[in-house]
Structures are given as structure tokens and as C-alpha cells.
């Protein structure tokens, strides 16, 4: 029984590290290869030993697909390709290919810097991994091999994020990665064909949420920043290098311009240039507004946002600083935080989730006395704010996408079990589509009924055409022929050709029926009577009287014989091939009615 | 458990037991479990439970039926397991649809089996299976039942449990177990197809490797031989490889296993043979029709089998227990043939050959595997005509416009390995005349590849060039060929490549070429009088202006190497060079560049003061610049290049590795001071006080103020007064050691309670 199998190694009922194995028509694909930011040991990577059990990864997997550059979707990639040893192709979009190594490098540096981890992937490994990447364009059908093809669709979420359709023959799976169904300040909304896949694997981060309007959150954010700056405070916004940071920059830049504000805005570690470079390079991936205004002014060339220097942190007066990393766990953002934490006029705005153990997590959970190195206690007096700007589809958006794609089944990943359960019911009830939510390591198996392509021989087609019946796409037609299954493909040919190809001799199958006729005359005369009768009845058919006395109508042979016991009765032997079954039966019934009285 | 944690624990247990308090982050529970594991490993679990009754209360509470989150339930079960590994819910767990749960249940089963067989104080149970403890008998019964089952998942589970058992337990009872279960395992081979073939292979190899079993007495070799012949060639490869890796194993079985591995390649050679006659891999009588049946009809099966075979042989080649004699020549022939078939240059005469050709043409997977294999084969040599073919096919791949970037990279790597192995004269590392001839053909290809529109290709080309130059840069033939080509000029141009990875590789390559005196291009005819821009200047420019870290890091590595090797551009004015580089590196935003700056400073320091003595008392130290003069005088050059300002600044760097490295450097310097006979008593002076004050400010994070010119005496005084050991101790702890502490974990978990809203799942 053909089937599609899906096993999440990560993102199965959690939002940790996305890594989903899909087997479709004998092809194995890994969707995303993410890392869990909450762990510092091997658990941060998906447990690949479940695949390595069945031999080398390169032999097992046909390809890896990365949906976007966030580390929980691509962070384990260098580990997977260079340390576990996957040698095959890795597919991602062009922007993801460009930005992914920057984030990986950033993460590596923090890991090595902060924790002094020795057993971590190196820069060289990131580079070698990136060399295995094949970049794809949106809507471009990419042939991974003769049978497997993939196609990327726009997903919103972050620059370069894509959904992927994976197709083998007539079977297909769509994986959404993370997506956003409403446009934001710099990106558009997700879009995909009504491709009716066997399965749609969708994220479900906000499975139970209908999010409030983005405008409200933006207003709130700007108000808070503005107030802090007005009272002479310093605002720290810890961010990851690329992604949400750009959206917040556009937001502040526009606001500063409109309000004619003078307080400086800084962006740390030279990332502005890099981000600008990529946003300019991939301008086609941003939303329509940015693309339109690009000709007059590049939205990513900021007037008010300048590069940050370490010395600026001590400058008097208000300022806003975007600094990395985003969870206040190391480097520059933590350094600035330490300096500013003691002053209640200052503010830190956390625009995203923080894992346990980080300073970001502690202050968000309301801890105000933090123990730092050397038993120093840092008292946090500054204002702490949390504002989520992550761009995921909410429950409405997810339902909308399912409706748009029209899959046979839906599989939920990247969400929490309880919320998934709710969405699952909603999908099953409202859309009448079966829905699955496997946990990590759990395999979901979906039976499929694949259509099997059959080649038709030209001869057969020509013969059909010769009968004057032109092919019509709307009307299915019955076509007779012999099905040859050879070398794992199927062909429909004429029986003659089949015999020839297979070197077989033809056997003829004939049916014979006896019809008793009361006729005392000689057999030859009876036959002659039959002949004249049929000739008069069957005007459209070729009726012949053969020299040996037998009569033929098309392939049907009629012979008259004497009855062994009753001389007044003759036996008509009617014999026909199975092709003339209809005519044969008709003739038999006709003859059974008897012959017309001969003119005496 | 420390008292702070003991105080926090009851509150946390109360939260966990309360179904109304959701626990958002299961990483916390994992970490909590880790912590309990460390505690129980260190001391008595009983004591722990007695001292913290809240734990027992939690576990009892969890057992009551209620709406508890599955996370907390699974956590509690595992915690119970940690305290007392005596759960008997394994049968239920084993049937779980999750790989993880099933595998964990299997492992638990093995632990229980092994624990019960270790027996009570009066000694282990006897070797008669009937005497085994009831628990063990029950487990064995369960395994037997599963092996008799017709359901593949159940068989797989049983085989996996046995594999783990024989892998972990080597006591005499395991042999009894094997003897008992062996017939059931052998019976699996009678089925067609063999169920759970992968797990079966794992089990047999695990048994064969087990030191607790004497293989000959248990009929193991027969079973292995039987399995080899029953499994399909695709499945048998892994078993064959495993058998060949075994230390002692009958020769006939080894031969059978090796034949299994060689079979697919023998088929390829047979199908593509130009004329009749043996291919040399296996005699033609044993050419297996089963293998040919798999290879020929379907592309997927053919590619899969060939890739696996090549990978297995590649793993086997470097092993000491690989088969002897090793059929090097036919294997080389097979690798070359495969590459030709994939590349389209093979023209087999037979029908099978042509069919293979159609299947493999342009197949990147086989190309990659065959190139890797070919590279590994370079460890052995081959007949000259075959080696010529090897180089020809490699050149074909390097030249071909159809080669993908990955394939090209592998072709470069294989080429380098074959060039390395080409010298005929033992002990001589020079390229022989054949290799040099090849090099003349290779360089124009490399030249072309350096201009590729793919950055991956340009980068692989540069990496290859660096490898070659490092190896043969001093050899006349190589130098001549390289200088006659455009390669050095192109490499120089790639310093300005748009892709930072390529710029970095170009920096490394140019550094290497320059070290070997290979990048002195003749003055260009267009600008005969024009000032030749020095490479040093160009690299300094990259260091101070490149927007990406990789090229800047590469420059620092080149500079450090140049200083170490006394490169001509450096020895002219070493102090100016070091001062300039340190000044730029000190301002770099990339901590790895700053750390590399300290590496360079260390080299300079050692060159000025002599190498560290403490490392190896027997090492022969070259007589370089041993400080005959007073230390203060020796420190003058270091002060002139502002090495101390750089190092002190680095000492308070917000990036830990930089601070650590600087600390080590200053400690080394202080050790030198201590051993120096010319030690003067420190005198406190206004200078010292102002430097110390500046350092205090730096430490507090205010690094704006420079130190200015430092006198050696002041440096020495400041060094003496600093608590460098203390600082090193503090730095040695990773900066998140506080955050990682159990106390921090408990605090975080408690703090999160009640504030969970929509934000919890908001990962990115």
C-alpha cells in the first residue's frame, strides 16, 4: 500500500527545533534542521541517530529543505552536514542562503565566546555546509532527481521565508515553515496555489489565538519608546541581527521623521550595513509598498539610525539602541544592559521570546535582583517591557491557508499540544479534513492512492483515431489493449504488438453452440436455407456460403450436421470468437426461432 | 543539595503538582531532571528523599488520576526512574507509536534484565535459564514471543532490545540467552523477505562483537554466512562491512562478506568490459545475477546500491583488518569507470553497459561517492596506466561545465590526494615528472575555475591552490608551472571578490603564495613605472575596511604566520608592522580578530623575550633574542608597539575568549619577570597610579581614555599589582555559570508561574 510517512524529530507538539522527516513515494526528505536555543548540550540538536540507524545519512535522505533563516529552523545544519556527515543537497531560497550563514556564524561566536564550547561547529564547517546549498527561486519547479520535485512559495514571516511543495509523481506534501497571512511593514502575506496536496504540514504557533491588530501593538511600542526618551531615559532593544530588527527600525525611523525627534538611534555591531545590503539585494521579497518607494528612497537606508560604538553607551542624555543578541545572554546587549539597569528612567524592550537561563528570561519573569558573575547582584530598576512582533499566522490565518490549499489531510507542527488539539478539532469539524499532531519521534502514516502513469503505444492510438473518434479532454473514453508491465513501467499496446513483444503464440478461443432444427432435408440444403435466411435478415453483415458447405457471418461459422438419432432433425453448430460474442448470441437466438418455410 | 535550593524546592513541587499552573518550557523540566541525576549520582537518593519530603509528595500526587499535563507526568515518571529504576510499565511503553518512547522502553527493559541478573547479595543467578529470576524470565519470554510474531514492528523491537543487551552486558548469562534465542533469530531468515533486516544485522553484529560470547560455539558464524546469502545485496552490505571489521572471524566468512561488497562493482566492470576476460574483481563465474537484477532495471536502486557499496569500501580501506590482498587495481578501474559513465565519457559495448550508462549519466550522487572513494584509494598506489586514467578522469571532471560545485570540490580534493601520493621515490615529497605534466594541464583549468560565477567553485579552487602551495611551494617544478600561469594574478584579484568567503580564502592563498615568494607578478606593461601596491598594504586595507569578519580574520592569521616565519615584508620593520596591526585589530568589532591580535602579540613577545621555558624542559630552544639586558630594556619594543595598551584593553573585553587570552599573555609575561634576575623592587609612582586608575575605569566598562605611552617600569609595577590569577579563575567559568546553576533554574521556574500568557510559544 503506498503511503506518506511523517516523523517529527523536532517541532512535534513543541516550538523548539523544527526537523521533520517525510517519506513520500520512496523518497525521504528532511524539512528544516533547527536548533533548540534552550539547551546547551547535545539536546539542542535533533536526535539524528534515529535516521543514522538505517545507514549513512546521505544514502537515506534525498534532500534537505530549509524554510527560512531562523536558527530554530536551520541552526543544526552545519552540525548535521559536517559533523554527522550528510553530503547531499540542501535547498533554500536565495535570501535564506545569504542570511543563514551570518546567523549561524553569530550563534557560533556566542556559543564559543560565552560558554567556551570546544565541540561546536566551526566557521569552516559553516562554509562547507553552505557550499552544499542549492538556492531556489519562488515558483520555480526544481527537479531534485528524476522523480522528486520541489517548489517554493512566498511565506512572509521573515525575508526569504518560503513554503515548499514536495512532489513525487502524483503524490505531494506542502510544508509551510513559519508563515504570516497578513502583510507587515516590510513583508507581504503568504501565498500558495490551490495545489490540493495529500498532506499539508503547517505550523501552529498561534493555534488558538486571534491576534489583535498589529497597528495597536506598534502604537504601544512607539508610545513607550517615546515616553522613555522624553523623560531623558535610554532605551535598549535587544534583537537578533536580522529579521524583526529591520521591521522595528523602519517603525522607529518613520516615527522619528514624523515627530521630528532628535534623540539618537543606534544599531550595534555593524549589522545595519549587512542588513541593508541584503534587503536591497532581495528587494523583490519585501512588500509592495517598499518595492514601490524603492525608486525614490530605499526604506533600509535610515536617516536617523546610526552605527553604535561601545563608547556611546556612556553618553549623557536619551538614546535608543538596538543591540545583539536578542535574549541578553552575552555580548553587547548584555554589556549595555548592565550599565543601564540601575536607572529607573531607562527601559529595555524585549521584542521576542527568551529561553530559560538567559537574563532576558529572568527580567521578563519579573526578577529584579540578578546574580551576576562573582556573586555580584545587579539590581534592575529600569523599566522592562515585552512586545511580541513575531510574524506567525494566527488561528484565522491557519484556517485560511488550509482552505486555500485544499489538502486531503493536515498535520500540525511547531506549536503546543493543547493548542494544537483545539485547532485540530476546528479543522476536522469546519473543513472536514483529517488532522494529525504527532509528538516528536512519533510517525504518522497516511495511505495514498497514487495514479499510475501508463504509456500508450502510438499504433493503438492511431487505430483509435482511425475510427474517427477524436480525443476529448472532457470525456473519458474506454480504450482496449494489452497492459504490459516491464522494467517498472506500464504500457498499453495492441494485442498484436504485445504478442510480438513478448514472443507469444496466439490462441483462439471459440464458443460453440448447438441449435436443433427440424429439417428432414440433407445437411447441404439446410445450410443453404440458413444462408439465404441470414442473407436476407443481416443486410449489413458479410454473409458467405463457403464451398465446403458451411456458412460464415463475419467470424461466426455455422455448419449443419445430421442428428445421430433423429434423421428429421439437423444440428446447427454455431461457433464464434469472444470478440463477436454479441453477434454470436444474436445469431443463436435468431436460429433458435427456426427458418422461414421454404417455398416448396 | 545546597540550602538555597532546598528552600525553593517545596514551592516548585507545589507548582508542578498543580494542574492549574501550566509549565510552559519543557527544557526547564529536562534541566531539572539533569540536576537530580547529578545529585543522585553523587549521593544517596534515599537521603535526598528523606531530606526533601516534598519530592515524595509530588510523586504520590502525580499517581492520582487527574488532569495533569503530560509533560509533568512524563517528568515525574522519569524522576521516579532516576530514584529507583524499577518501573514495570515497559510493556505498555514498548508498544508506543513514538520512536523515542519505544526506544527508551527498550533500554529500560535491558537495564532491568541486566539488573535482575546481577542478582542479590548472595551471588548472581545460575547459568541455567530456569534458575533465572522471575523478572528476567518474564522479559525473555516477552522477547521470544515478539520474535515469533508476524508483525514487523514487534520483531524490530525485540531485535533492538537484544542488540542493546549484547552491546552492554557481557556476563556469562548473555551466552545462555543467545543459545536459547538463536533458533528463533535464525528462523527469521526463513521468511521472505527477511523481516526487520536492519535490526537483524545490528543484532548479529552486536553478538559477534560481544566479548561475553564465544562465537564458534554458538553457531554464530553459520548464521552470519546464512544471513549474508539471504539478504538482498542492498541490505547485506552493512553486514558484510561489519563482518570484515570483526577482529577474529573465519577466513571463508570474510571472503564471502568481501565478495558481497565487491559484487556491484564487479557487475559494473563486467558490463563495461571492452573485451572478454576477467575483470579482476571477482571471477566471472560468481558474477551475481541477483546484483545485476538490482543494478540494471531501476535508477533509484542502482544509484542506492552503488553509493552504499562505495561508502562501505571507503570505510574499509583504511582499516588494518581490511582484506588482504586488496584488489587495488580493479577497484581503481571500477571507480574510474563509474566516473566515466556518470560523466558521459564511457562508451561501453555491451547492452548492460549501455543501460548502466543511461542510468548513471549526470548522476551527482554517484559522482560524489565515486570521487570520495577515488580519493581514499590514493592511499595505495596502482599500475601506472591506471593512475594515468585516474588523473585523466579527474581532469575531465575539473574541466567539465556540467560538474556541480559539490562535485568540483570533491574532484579538487581527490586530485590533491592523488598528487600527494604520486611520488615514486620514498622519502621524497617532490612532484614527479608525470605529476608535473599533469599540473601543466591542471593550472589552466584552475584558472578558469577561479573565474567561475559560482562562489562555491571559486572558493574551492582557492582552497585547493592553498593546499598545493603549502605542500609544493618550495619545489622548482611547481613554482615554474605556477608562475607561468595566470593563477597568482587571478588570486590577487579575488581579494576584492564580492563574496566574503572567497575574499577570506583569497587572503589565505595570497598569504601562502607570498610566504613562498610566489606572488611577485612582473610589473604590468600598462603601468611600467607604476608603484606596485604591496600585498602587505592590501591586506592591511582589508583588515581595516572589510565589512565581514572572515577576510579580516584570515588577514590576522596570515600576519601571525608571516611574523612567525620572519616574512620579508615583516622583518624590514617588525615593530612598525606589529604596532600597525595591533592598532587596527584592537578596534575590530569581531572578537575573533581581537583574539587573533593577541596571538600575534604573543608571537612578537616570544620573539622579543625568548620562548616560554616552562613548557618542555627538554625542548631545544633556538637562541633568539634571549634577554641578556635588563628586562626593562627588553620590554622597550613591546612598549613601543603599544602591546600593553592592546593587552590591557583586551583584559576587560566583553568577549570572554579575548579576556582569557590576554590574561594568559600577561601571566606569561609576569612569569618571565619573576624568572628574570634583573628584577627591581617596584616603586610606586604617579604614573603607576594613573594607569591603575585608568584600568579601573576600563574594567567598569569605560574604555574611552587611552593609556598613552607606557614605560617598562610602569608596566612591570602594574603587572605585579594585578590579581591576574584571580581574573583567570573568574574567566575560566563560563559566563553563564550563574544562570546555569540549579538555584537559577528553580528561581526561573517559580518566577514564570502565573505570568504565562500568549507569549510562551512566541519563539521567533
Amino acid at each position: 500500500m503506498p503511503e506518506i510517512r511523517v516523523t517529527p524529530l523536532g517541532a512535534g507538539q513543541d516550538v523548539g527545533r523544527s526537523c521533520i522527516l517525510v517519506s513520500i513515494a520512496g523518497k525521504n526528505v528532511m524539512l528544516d534542521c533547527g536548533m533548540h536555543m534552550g539547551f546547551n548540550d547535545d539536546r539542542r540538536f535533533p536526535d539524528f541517530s534515529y535516521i543514522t540507524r538505517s545507514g549513512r545519512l546521505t544514502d537515506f535522505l534525498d534532500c534537505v529543505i530549509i524554510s527560512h533563516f531562523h536558527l530554530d529552523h536551520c541552526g543544526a545544519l552545519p552540525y548535521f552536514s559536517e559533523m554527522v556527515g550528510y553530503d547531499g543537497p540542501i535547498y533554500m531560497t536565495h535570501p535564506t542562503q545569504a542570511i543563514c550563514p551570518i546567523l549561524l556564524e553569530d550563534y557560533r561566536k556566542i556559543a564559543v565566546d560565552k560558554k567556551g564550547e570546544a565541540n561546536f561547529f566551526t566557521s569552516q564547517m559553516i562554509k562547507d555546509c553552505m557550499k552544499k546549498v542549492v538556492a531556489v527561486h519562488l515558483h520555480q519547479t526544481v527537479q531534485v532527481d528524476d522523480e522528486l520535485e520541489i517548489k517554493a512559495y512566498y511565506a512572509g514571516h521573515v525575508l526569504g521565508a518560503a513554503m515548499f511543495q514536495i512532489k513525487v509523481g502524483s503524490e505531494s506534501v506542502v510544508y509551510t515553515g513559519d508563515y504570516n497571512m497578513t502583510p507587515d511593514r516590510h513583508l507581504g502575506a503568504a501565498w500558495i496555489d490551490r495545489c490540493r496536496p495529500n498532506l499539508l504540514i503547517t505550523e501552529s504557533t498561534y493555534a488558538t489565538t486571534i491576534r489583535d491588530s498589529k497597528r495597536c501593538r506598534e502604537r504601544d511600542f512607539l508610545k513607550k519608546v517615546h515616553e522613555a526618551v522624553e523623560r531623558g531615559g535610554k532605551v535598549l532593544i535587544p534583537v537578533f541581527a536580522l529579521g524583526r530588527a529591520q521591521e522595528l527600525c523602519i517603525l522607529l525611523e518613520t516615527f522619528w521623521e514624523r515627530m521630528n525627534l532628535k534623540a539618537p538611534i543606534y544599531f550595534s555591531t555593524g549589522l545595519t550595513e549587512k542588513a541593508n545590503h541584503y534587503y536591497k539585494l532581495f528587494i523583490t521579497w519585501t512588500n509592495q509598498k517598499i518595492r514601490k518607494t524603492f525608486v525614490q528612497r530605499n526604506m533600509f537606508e535610515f536617516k536617523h539610525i546610526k552605527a553604535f560604538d561601545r563608547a556611546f553607551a556612556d553618553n549623557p542624555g536619551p538614546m535608543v539602541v538596538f543591540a545583539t543578541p536578542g535574549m541578553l545572554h552575552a555580548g553587547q546587549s548584555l554589556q549595555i544592559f548592565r550599565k543601564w539597569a540601575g536607572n529607573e528612567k531607562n527601559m529595555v524592550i524585549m521584542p521576542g521570546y527568551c529561553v530559560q537561563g538567559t537574563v532576558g528570561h529572568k527580567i521578563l519573569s519579573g526578577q529584579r535582583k540578578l546574580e551576576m558573575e562573582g556573586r555580584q547582584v545587579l539590581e534592575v530598576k529600569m523599566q522592562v517591557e515585552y512586545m511580541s512582533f513575531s510574524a506567525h499566522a494566527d488561528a484565522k490565518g491557519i484556517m485560511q491557508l488550509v482552505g486555500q490549499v485544499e489538502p486531503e489531510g493536515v498535520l500540525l507542527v511547531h506549536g503546543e499540544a493543547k493548542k494544537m488539539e483545539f485547532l485540530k478539532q476546528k479543522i476536522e469539524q469546519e473543513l472536514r479534513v483529517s488532522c494529525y499532531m504527532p509528538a516528536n519521534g512519533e510517525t504518522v502514516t497516511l495511505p495514498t492512492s497514487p495514479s499510475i502513469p501508463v504509456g500508450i503505444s502510438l499504433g493503438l492510438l492511431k487505430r483509435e483515431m482511425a475510427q474517427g473518434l477524436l480525443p476529448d479532454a472532457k470525456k473519458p473514453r474506454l480504450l482496449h489493449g494489452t497492459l504490459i508491465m516491464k522494467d517498472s513501467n506500464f504500457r498499453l499496446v495492441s494485442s498484436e504488438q504485445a504478442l510480438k513483444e513478448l514472443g507469444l503464440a496466439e490462441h483462439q478461443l471459440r464458443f460453440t453452440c448447438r441449435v436443433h432444427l427440424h429439417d428432414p432435408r440433407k445437411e447441404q440444403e439446410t445450410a443453404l436455407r440458413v444462408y439465404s435466411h441470414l442473407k436476407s435478415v443481416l443486410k449489413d453483415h458479410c454473409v458467405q456460403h463457403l464451398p465446403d458447405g458451411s456458412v460464415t457471418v463475419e467470424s461466426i461459422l455455422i455448419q449443419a450436421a445430421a442428428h445421430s438419432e433423429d434423421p428429421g432433425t439437423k444440428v446447427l453448430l454455431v461457433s464464434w470468437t469472444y470478440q463477436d460474442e454479441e453477434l454470436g448470441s444474436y445469431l443463436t437466438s435468431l436460429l433458435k426461432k427456426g427458418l422461414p418455410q421454404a417455398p416448396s | 543539595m545546597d540550602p538555597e535550593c532546598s528552600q525553593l524546592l517545596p514551592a516548585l513541587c507545589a507548582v508542578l503538582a498543580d494542574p492549574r499552573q501550566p509549565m510552559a518550557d519543557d527544557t526547564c523540566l529536562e534541566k531539572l531532571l539533569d540536576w537530580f541525576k547529578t545529585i543522585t549520582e553523587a549521593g544517596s537518593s534515599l537521603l535526598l528523599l528523606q531530606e526533601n519530603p516534598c519530592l515524595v509528595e509530588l510523586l504520590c500526587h502525580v499517581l492520582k488520576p487527574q488532569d495533569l499535563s503530560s509533560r509533568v507526568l512524563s517528568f515525574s515518571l522519569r524522576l521516579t526512574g532516576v530514584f529507583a529504576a524499577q518501573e514495570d510499565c515497559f510493556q505498555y511503553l514498548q508498544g508506543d507509536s513514538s520512536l523515542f518512547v519505544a526506544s527508551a522502553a527498550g533500554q529500560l527493559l535491558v537495564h532491568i534484565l541486566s539488573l535482575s541478573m546481577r542478582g542479590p547479595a548472595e551471588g548472581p543467578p545460575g547459568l541455567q535459564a530456569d534458575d533465572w529470576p522471575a523478572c528476567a524470565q518474564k522479559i525473555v519470554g516477552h522477547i521470544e514471543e515478539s520474535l515469533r510474531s508476524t508483525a514487523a514492528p514487534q520483531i524490530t523491537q525485540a531485535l533492538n532490545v537484544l542488540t542493546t543487551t549484547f552491546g552492554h552486558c557481557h556476563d556469562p548469562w548473555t551466552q545462555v540467552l543467545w543459545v536459547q534465542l538463536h533458533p528463533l533469530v535464525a528462523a527469521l531468515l526463513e521468511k521472505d523477505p527477511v523481516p526487520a533486516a536492519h535490526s537483524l544485522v545490528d543484532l548479529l553484529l552486536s553478538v559477534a562483537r560481544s566479548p561475553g560470547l564465544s562465537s564458534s560455539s554458538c553457531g554464530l558464524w553459520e548464521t552470519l554466512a546464512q544471513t549474508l546469502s539471504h539478504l538482498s545485496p542492498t541490505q547485506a552490505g552493512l553486514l558484510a562491512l561489519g563482518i570484515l571489521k570483526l577482529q577474529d572471524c573465519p577466513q571463508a566468512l570474510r571472503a564471502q562478506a568481501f565478495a558481497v561488497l565487491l559484487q556491484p562493482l564487479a557487475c559494473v566492470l563486467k558490463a563495461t568490459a571492452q573485451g572478454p576476460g576477467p575483470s579482476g574483481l571477482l571471477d566471472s563465474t560468481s558474477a551475481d545475477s541477483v546484483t545485476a537484477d538490482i543494478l540494471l532495471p531501476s535508477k533509484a536502486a542502482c544509484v542506492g546500491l552503488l553509493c552504499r557499496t562505495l561508502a562501505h569500501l571507503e570505510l574499509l580501506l583504511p582499516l588494518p583488518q581490511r582484506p588482504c590482498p586488496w584488489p587495488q587495481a580493479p577497484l581503481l578501474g571500477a571507480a574510474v569507470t563509474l566516473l566515466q559513465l556518470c560523466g558521459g565519457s564511457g562508451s561501453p559495448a555491451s547492452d548492460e553497459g549501455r543501460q548502466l550508462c543511461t542510468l548513471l549519466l549526470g548522476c551527482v550522487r554517484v559522482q560524489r561517492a565515486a570521487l570520495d572513494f577515488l580519493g581514499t584509494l590514493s592511499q595505495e598506489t596502482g599500475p601506472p596506466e591506471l593512475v594515468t586514467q585516474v588523473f585523466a578522469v579527474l581532469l575531465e571532471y575539473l574541466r567539465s561545465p556540467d560538474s556541480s560545485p559539490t562535485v568540483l570540490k570533491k574532484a579538487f580534493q581527490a586530485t590533491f590526494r592523488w598528487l600527494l601520493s604520486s611520488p615514486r621515490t620514498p622519502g621524497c615529497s617532490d612532484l614527479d615528472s608525470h605529476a608535473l605534466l599533469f599540473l601543466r594541464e591542471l593550472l589552466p583549468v584552475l584558472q578558469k575555475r577561479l573565474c567561475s560565477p559560482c562562489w562555491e567553485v571559486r572558493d574551492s579552487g582557492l582552497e585547493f591552490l592553498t593546499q598545493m602551495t603549502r605542500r609544493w611551494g618550495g619545489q622548482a617544478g611547481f613554482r615554474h608551472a605556477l608562475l607561468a600561469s595566470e593563477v597568482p594574478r587571478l588570486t590577487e584579484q579575488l581579494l576584492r571578490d564580492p563574496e566574503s568567503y572567497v575574499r577570506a580564502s583569497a587572503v589565505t592563498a595570497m598569504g601562502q603564495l607570498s610566504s613562498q615568494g610566489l606572488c611577485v607578478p612582473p610589473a604590468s606593461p600598462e603601468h611600467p613605472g607604476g608603484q606596485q601596491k604591496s600585498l602587505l598594504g592590501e591586506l592591511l586595507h582589508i583588515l581595516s575596511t572589510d565589512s565581514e569578519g572572515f577576510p579580516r580574520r584570515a588577514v590576522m592569521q596570515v600576519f601571525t604566520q608571516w611574523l612567525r616565519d620572519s616574512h620579508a615584508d615583516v622583518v624590514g620593520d617588525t615593530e612598525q608592522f606589529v604596532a600597525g596591526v595591533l592598532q587596527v585589530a584592537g578596534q575590530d568589532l569581531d572578537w575573533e580578530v581581537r583574539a587573533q591580535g593577541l596571538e600575534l602579540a604573543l608571537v612578537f613577545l616570544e620573539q622579543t623575550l625568548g620562548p616560554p621555558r616552562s613548557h618542555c624542559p627538554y625542548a631545544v630552544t633556538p637562541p633568539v633574542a634571549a634577554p641578556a639586558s635588563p628586562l626593562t630594556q627588553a620590554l622597550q619594543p613591546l612598549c613601543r608597539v603599544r602591546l600593553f595598551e592592546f593587552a590591557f584593553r583586551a583584559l576587560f573585553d566583553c568577549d570572554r575568549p579575548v579576556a582569557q587570552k590576554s590574561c594568559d599573555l600577561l601571566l606569561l609575561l609576569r612569569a618571565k619577570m619573576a624568572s628574570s634576575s634583573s628584577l627591581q623592587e617596584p616603586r610606586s609612582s604617579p604614573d603607576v597610579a594613573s594607569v591603575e586608575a585608568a584600568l579601573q575605569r576600563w574594567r567598569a566598562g569605560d574604555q574611552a581614555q587611552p593609556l598613552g605611552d607606557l614605560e617598562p617600569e610602569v608596566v612591570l609595577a602594574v603587572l605585579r599589582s594585578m590579581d591576574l590569577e584571580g581574573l583567570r579563575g573568574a574567566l575560566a567559568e563560563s559566563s553563564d555559570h550563574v544562570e546555569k546553576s540549579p538555584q537559577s533554574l528553580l528561581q526561573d521556574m517559580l518566577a514564570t508561574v502565573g505570568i504565562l500568557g500568549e507569549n510562551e510559544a512566541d519563539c521567533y
Side-chain angles (χ1 to χ4, degrees), chain B residues 420-432 471-472 475:
Chain B
L420 270 185
S421 76
S422 72
R424 298 286 133 66
T425 351
C428 166
S429 66
D430 284 358
L431 289 167
D432 70 349
R471 181 76 194 193
W472 298 292
Q475 202 215 329

Side-chain angles (χ1 to χ4, degrees), chain A residues 61-102:
Chain A
L61 279 181
D62 291 280
C63 73
V64 173
I65 295 174
I66 301 295
S67 66
H68 64 285
F69 62 62
H70 277 151
L71 290 178
D72 60 336
H73 293 260
C74 70
L77 206 48
Y79 169 77
F80 180 66
S81 74
E82 306 309 308
M83 295 168 96
V84 182
Y86 169 71
D87 221 5
I90 301 165
Y91 293 90
M92 55 179 80
T93 65
H94 286 275
T96 309
Q97 183 196 30
I99 296 166
C100 193
I102 302 175

Side-chain angles (χ1 to χ4, degrees), chain B residues 126 392 458 515 630 633 764:
Chain B
R458 299 196 298 276
S515 291
Q633 210 169 325
Y764 276 97

Side-chain angles (χ1 to χ4, degrees), chain A residues 38 43 87 105 108-109 113-114 127 131 244 353 356-357 362 367 373 386 388 390 392 441, chain B residues 30-31 34 99-100 299 410 459 463 505 553 590 592 654-656 735 739 744 748 758 762 764:
Chain A
R43 280 173 292 182
D87 221 5
E105 181 66 18
R108 181 194 69 79
K109 289 181 71 146
D113 166 359
K114 200 179 152 199
K127 177 168 91 174
K131 282 186 179 177
R244 210 170 308 157
Y353 165 83
Q356 186 275 322
K362 284 178 190 293
Q367 300 181 54
E373 286 90 359
Y386 176 86
S388 163
S390 68
H392 291 278
Chain B
E30 289 274 324
K31 289 175 193 165
D34 289 351
L99 293 173
F100 299 147
K299 179 168 177 173
K410 289 195 184 290
D459 193 75
E463 285 180 337
S505 295
R553 270 186 254 160
D590 185 337
E592 281 173 301
C654 68
D655 289 298
R656 199 173 63 104
S735 70
E739 294 158 27
S744 150
D748 282 0
E758 273 312 316
D762 177 20
Y764 276 97

Side-chain angles (χ1 to χ4, degrees), chain A residues 288-329:
Chain A
Q288 218 175 8
K289 190 176 162 200
I290 291 191
R291 267 179 285 162
K292 269 188 186 162
T293 53
F294 184 67
V295 193
Q296 304 133 24
R297 192 175 81 84
N298 179 356
M299 283 281 246
F300 298 103
E301 264 161 24
F302 302 113
K303 200 169 116 193
H304 298 275
I305 303 173
K306 299 186 179 66
F308 182 71
D309 185 288
R310 270 180 280 179
F312 294 171
D314 295 315
N315 287 356
M319 67 173 87
V320 181
V321 175
F322 287 94
T324 55
M327 300 188 192
L328 286 179
H329 53 297

Side-chain angles (χ1 to χ4, degrees), chain A residues 73 76 91 127 141 198 229 244 247 279 415 445 479 517 585:
Chain A
H73 293 260
Y91 293 90
K127 177 168 91 174
T141 302
N198 299 81
V229 171
R244 210 170 308 157
E247 181 166 10
Y279 277 83
T445 307
L479 189 69
L517 211 63
S585 324

Side-chain angles (χ1 to χ4, degrees), chain A residues 329-431:
Chain A
H329 53 297
Q332 203 149 41
S333 63
L334 184 60
Q335 208 182 28
I336 301 172
F337 173 76
R338 285 179 169 197
K339 278 181 189 235
W340 296 357
N343 189 338
E344 61 271 18
K345 275 204 283 188
N346 296 342
M347 181 194 276
V348 57
I349 300 183
M350 308 294 303
Y353 165 83
C354 297
V355 300
Q356 186 275 322
T358 60
V359 171
H361 182 271
K362 284 178 190 293
I363 58 169
L364 277 183
S365 63
Q367 300 181 54
R368 287 294 174 264
K369 285 204 167 102
L370 307 179
E371 193 192 321
M372 308 305 264
E373 286 90 359
R375 295 254 158 191
Q376 284 175 289
V377 174
L378 180 71
E379 196 167 345
V380 183
K381 290 185 183 155
M382 76 198 297
Q383 202 180 328
V384 178
E385 295 289 342
Y386 176 86
M387 234 162 259
S388 163
F389 279 93
S390 68
H392 291 278
D394 63 3
K396 213 170 100 189
I398 298 171
M399 294 298 281
Q400 191 187 333
L401 185 87
V402 178
Q404 193 172 321
V405 175
E406 287 188 9
E408 282 173 25
V410 174
L411 189 141
L412 303 178
V413 292
H414 201 278
E416 286 173 80
K418 276 204 169 142
K419 296 182 179 181
M420 280 182 175
E421 193 70 56
F422 173 83
L423 186 67
K424 176 179 184 303
Q425 283 181 9
K426 201 170 150 76
I427 290 174
E428 287 181 338
Q429 279 163 14
E430 290 179 24
L431 302 172

